[in-house]
Every structure is written in C-alpha cells, then in structure tokens.
Amino acid sequence: MGPYRLVYAADRNRRAIERFLLGIPRNERVLLVGKLESLAVNPKPVQYRMLRPPVPIEGYLAPHRLRVGDYRIFYDIDESAKTVVLIGIRRRHEHTYR
C-alpha cells in the first residue's frame, strides 16, 4: 500500500469498473488491476497525462488519464486528502474521449 488511498468517485463507478474488468481477458484484467493498485504508490507514472479539457465519465470529470496498452484509466488526484479517485476505465477507440 502506498501513500495514497484508492477510492471510487461513486458506487456506480465502482460497479462499472468491476463489470468492465470482468468482461475482458484475464491477462489484461491482471495487468489493469496491477496498474490501478500502483496508482496508490505513484499517481503520476510515466504513462500518466493531464487531460485538458477533462473527460466527462458517469457524471464526473476525469482530469487524469493513465494509458495501459489498449485501455485508459481515468481518475482524479486529491493531493490534500492523499487519495486517487477512480472514475472509469475504457478501451481506446474513437469515442474514448467523448
């Protein structure tokens, strides 16, 4: 466990992320879960990007994006509370950032 705490933006975001992870191949799921857990240690890894403008997902704005192969993890960082707020995961395609 790192210096940051992982939380979901809302319960519906948690359910959406869990459903998404269950719908992809096991090897890709293991990779994504490992990257999610690594955000608790370093919320700004090399593949991280700040999004301008933030991407709207499930009623929340995702200002940060982590690229993991064909997938994108969208999240926010609350430095004062030392939390990483998970907003969503999407497969990269033409509608990812809309």
Side-chain angles (χ1 to χ4, degrees):
M1 196 72 158
Y4 288 81
R5 190 168 54 99
L6 292 177
V7 297
Y8 295 94
D11 194 48
R12 72 173 180 251
N13 296 80
R14 179 189 57 79
R15 286 192 309 269
I17 289 172
E18 288 173 353
R19 272 194 315 272
F20 182 86
L21 290 172
L22 289 173
I24 62 174
R26 187 177 198 288
N27 61 333
E28 293 174 353
R29 183 179 331 131
V30 169
L31 178 66
L32 280 170
V33 169
K35 290 292 185 176
L36 285 170
E37 291 171 352
S38 75
L39 288 174
V41 177
N42 180 14
K44 296 180 182 177
V46 174
Q47 302 88 352
Y48 143 90
R49 291 290 177 260
M50 187 114 179
L51 300 172
R52 298 216 196 280
V55 175
I57 297 176
E58 300 276 338
Y60 293 91
L61 293 178
H64 305 284
R65 184 256 308 156
L66 177 64
R67 188 175 87 184
V68 183
D70 289 340
Y71 301 97
R72 304 298 183 261
I73 299 171
F74 295 96
Y75 61 100
D76 194 5
I77 303 168
D78 184 349
E79 291 290 347
S80 61
K82 291 290 189 188
T83 58
V84 174
V85 181
L86 301 175
I87 298 173
I89 301 176
R90 292 186 177 172
R91 179 180 284 277
R92 173 68 174 116
H93 56 74
E94 63 206 41
H95 299 292
T96 301
Y97 297 99
R98 293 183 190 178

